[in-house]
Amino acid sequence: MKATIALLPGDGIGPEVVAEAVRVLRAVAEGWHHTFEFSEALIGGCAIDAHGTALPAATLAVCQSADAVLLGAVGGPKWDDPRAAVRPEQGLLGIRKALGLYANLRPVTVTPAMARRSPLRAEIVQGVDLVVVRELTGGIYFGEKTSVYVRADEERATDTCVYTTSEIARVVRRACDLARTRRGVVTSVDKANVLETSRLWRRVTSAIVASEYPDLKLEHILVDACAMHLLRRPTDFDVIVTENMFGDILTDEASMLAGSLGLLPSASLGEGTRGLYEPIHGSAPDIAGQGSANPLATILSAALLLRYSLGLEDEARAVEEAVGVTLAAGIVTADLAEPGAASSTTVVADAVLTALRHLATIAA
Ligand code: NAD
């Protein structure tokens, strides 16, 4: 197949990890006989420096004409002033909005090699294989906000949580479609005992599953209970679907099951197949330029890109398997290594490439 992939390396370690993921994508193209064209553009702090905005019009145009977007990370101390009118993360929010990306998928899998490095006991996390589907463009983060002085010494602030039937339905359908390709279990997370938006969420989810996905098992769970069960019995979850703020919090909790931010990918999807793929970690300015960043989260994001935007399931699995082989061999960066046993960013990516080329030979 022929595909155009937009690359937004961003700031800090972003360019280092995106470069390694591109090597992996090139190896996939070679091994499975595809043609991938790459077009690179600026986002975040580097775009502010060059153009005075975190999301230049040219960057948006590159993304809109691509089949998929691979992003590194944005931000860093240089642009961290919270009072600044122009900030790197405006690039992230802007691109998600412009591309209509309303569903954020964060898979978390824990292999035996990773289980040993989790902050939780290995027997609890081993075998975790779940995906959190977070609603990305609605809810309390986007509702009306106020902040007023009601008296000289008393301020009052509000944030409004708003959801509509259609906003809930589209993300729930995404989660259900995903569950059909997995173990067929959907856990919908809400706070229906106290929030009206959660009661609507629960009604819409129940109706959609009953009428369109009767083959799936649906369970409803309160967000506080979910936070607890993610630590107590994480292997029981398959697909978790939830609203924006609950998802924001639960995805960070779920990411810790795997032990390192440097391992976890994400996909942001809308209507159609174009998506935005990025590691869940930030720009890690403390290690930028040292060649020590873990490239695996970005390489696994490239695997999600192959799966969800390009429909290349075999190739996506091969990349994931190559990452698994690399981890099992103990070829890891400093965030995962025992003292004195760390490999560099490039050496880890080289190991993935070696495993991948072997898998391509078998597939040929
Ligand atoms: P961070 O994720 O960048 O770093 C947290 C810690 O994890 C650091 O010690 C870092 O060295 C380590 N780390 C992160 N990714 C790693 C990797 N691939 N390999 C090895 N170690 C890794 O979060 P932070 O320090 O809170 O934020 C740094 C900057 O990144 C800030 O400017 C923040 O706004 C930005 N940020 C961007 C995104 C994004 O682009 N999506 C997300 C979070 C934070």
Side-chain angles (χ1 to χ4, degrees), residues 37-361:
E37 278 172 13
F38 299 96
S39 46
E40 197 169 314
L42 298 175
I43 193 166
C46 57
I48 294 175
D49 287 352
H51 300 289
T53 166
L55 184 62
T59 298
L60 196 51
V62 163
C63 296
Q64 279 167 334
S65 64
D67 296 298
V69 183
L70 182 67
L71 188 142
V74 301
K78 187 176 173 193
W79 310 279
D80 257 359
D81 180 356
R83 291 158 305 174
V86 184
R87 293 176 48 79
E89 56 274 17
Q90 290 166 347
L92 285 183
L93 294 177
I95 190 95
R96 286 175 188 157
K97 195 163 182 239
L99 298 180
L101 306 173
Y102 58 78
N104 181 241
L105 276 59
R106 283 198 191 181
V108 181
T109 51
V110 182
T111 61
M114 290 154 68
R116 291 197 301 275
R117 299 184 173 95
S118 170
L120 296 183
R121 288 205 309 275
E123 67 265 29
I124 299 232
V125 294
Q126 191 161 319
V128 164
D129 180 8
L130 62 87
V131 185
V132 182
V133 180
R134 166 190 169 194
E135 201 288 326
L136 206 55
T137 55
I140 199 162
Y141 294 174
F142 291 91
E144 193 189 332
K145 298 168 191 307
T146 66
S147 182
V148 292
Y149 275 93
V150 289
R151 279 199 321 265
D153 61 347
E154 180 89 335
E155 278 187 90
R156 182 172 186 275
T158 65
D159 297 281
T160 316
C161 186
V162 183
Y163 270 109
T164 61
T165 306
S166 53
E167 279 176 317
I168 299 167
R170 63 187 184 177
V171 71
V172 167
R173 287 196 180 99
R174 270 281 178 187
C176 289
D177 288 340
L178 182 63
R180 271 195 176 148
T181 68
R182 296 171 49 92
R183 303 196 299 280
V185 182
V186 175
T187 304
S188 173
V189 178
D190 61 37
K191 190 71 183 168
N193 51 345
V194 285
L195 296 179
E196 205 52 53
T197 41
S198 279
R199 287 192 269 272
L200 178 63
W201 184 280
R202 200 174 273 217
R203 280 198 302 280
V204 172
T205 305
S206 296
I208 285 177
V209 175
S211 60
E212 299 172 35
Y213 300 89
D215 48 310
L216 298 181
K217 179 169 179 267
L218 171 68
E219 59 174 5
H220 298 283
I221 177 169
L222 296 176
V223 63
D224 39 343
C226 185
M228 180 185 67
H229 289 305
L230 268 174
L231 302 184
R232 221 177 55 131
R233 51 172 187 93
T235 51
D236 285 357
F237 292 102
D238 181 12
V239 175
I240 295 173
V241 61
T242 190
E243 61 101 80
N244 202 343
M245 183 168 68
F246 298 159
D248 190 9
I249 298 165
L250 291 177
T251 46
D252 265 28
E253 186 191 358
S255 73
M256 275 299 102
L257 301 171
S260 170
L261 286 176
L263 284 176
L264 295 173
S266 79
S268 298
L269 307 171
E271 301 303 338
T273 56
R274 189 191 298 123
L276 173 81
Y277 302 85
E278 58 183 317
I280 71 158
H281 59 70
S283 58
D286 52 331
I287 58 164
Q290 296 174 8
S292 62
N294 188 341
L296 296 180
T298 313
I299 290 172
L300 290 169
S301 299
L304 297 182
L305 181 157
L306 294 167
R307 171 172 296 129
Y308 295 124
S309 282
L310 308 189
L312 300 175
E313 178 62 29
D314 289 350
E315 291 83 338
R317 273 179 204 253
V319 172
E320 288 163 351
E321 202 177 324
V323 167
V325 167
T326 304
L327 282 170
I331 303 169
V332 290
T333 41
D335 53 317
L336 294 173
E338 306 296 337
S343 297
S344 70
T345 306
T346 306
V347 167
V348 170
D350 283 345
V352 175
L353 284 168
T354 304
L356 187 62
R357 291 197 177 109
H358 177 65
L359 291 166
T361 321

